[in-house]
Amino acid sequence: MSTPASIGTAIRAAREQKHMSARELLERTGLSHVTLRELENGLGNSRLSTLLAVCDALGLEVVLTPREVSGLIEGDDSQRPTELSELLQKTRAEGLNYADSRRKRDTPK
């Protein structure tokens, strides 16, 4: 998801999948009807705090994914195992280890 429209479409789809009305989402988030409409339609320029509030109410999480990985997530299933394997090999060769970086970040000081 890289455009306001695709984010808005995903938010509306998640809301509808949970059988949640726009009114219920408004009550849970405290947003105005106009703000929610603009967000779901990919219009305006919503604040990050607005997006996070909506995601929280819908049980979603905002995740930032490197483009080379997002292509694997959204790509052709038949190519995914090979491409993922190649990406993991490249990542290991470069000494990048996501689990290690999370442990370092999450370890209390």
Side-chain angles (χ1 to χ4, degrees), residues 44-93:
N45 190 13
S46 297
R47 289 192 227 168
L48 180 58
S49 59
T50 299
L51 177 61
L52 293 173
V54 169
C55 288
D56 185 54
L58 293 171
L60 301 174
E61 185 173 331
V62 175
V63 177
L64 303 177
T65 307
R67 284 189 181 117
E68 57 189 9
V69 174
S70 67
L72 295 175
I73 294 168
E74 298 170 2
D76 178 10
D77 285 344
S78 66
Q79 295 297 314
R80 188 169 294 138
T82 302
E83 290 177 0
L84 184 56
S85 176
E86 290 170 2
L87 179 61
L88 288 171
Q89 288 174 1
K90 176 184 171 189
T91 301
R92 288 181 184 129

Side-chain angles (χ1 to χ4, degrees), residues 6-108:
S6 63
I7 292 169
T9 298
I11 287 172
R12 177 180 287 123
R15 178 177 60 76
E16 291 173 349
Q17 183 179 16
K18 293 183 177 294
H19 306 287
M20 184 184 297
S21 68
R23 179 180 299 266
E24 185 178 352
L25 184 54
L26 293 173
E27 290 171 359
R28 289 182 181 203
T29 60
L31 298 176
S32 73
H33 177 68
V34 171
T35 300
L36 180 60
R37 184 183 68 226
E38 287 178 347
L39 181 61
E40 286 190 345
N41 289 313
L43 305 172
N45 190 13
S46 297
R47 289 192 227 168
L48 180 58
S49 59
T50 299
L51 177 61
L52 293 173
V54 169
C55 288
D56 185 54
L58 293 171
L60 301 174
E61 185 173 331
V62 175
V63 177
L64 303 177
T65 307
R67 284 189 181 117
E68 57 189 9
V69 174
S70 67
L72 295 175
I73 294 168
E74 298 170 2
D76 178 10
D77 285 344
S78 66
Q79 295 297 314
R80 188 169 294 138
T82 302
E83 290 177 0
L84 184 56
S85 176
E86 290 170 2
L87 179 61
L88 288 171
Q89 288 174 1
K90 176 184 171 189
T91 301
R92 288 181 184 129
E94 293 174 358
L96 302 174
N97 187 321
Y98 178 73
D100 285 344
S101 67
R102 282 195 60 108
R103 276 193 292 274
K104 288 177 187 174
R105 185 195 73 197
D106 295 339
T107 301

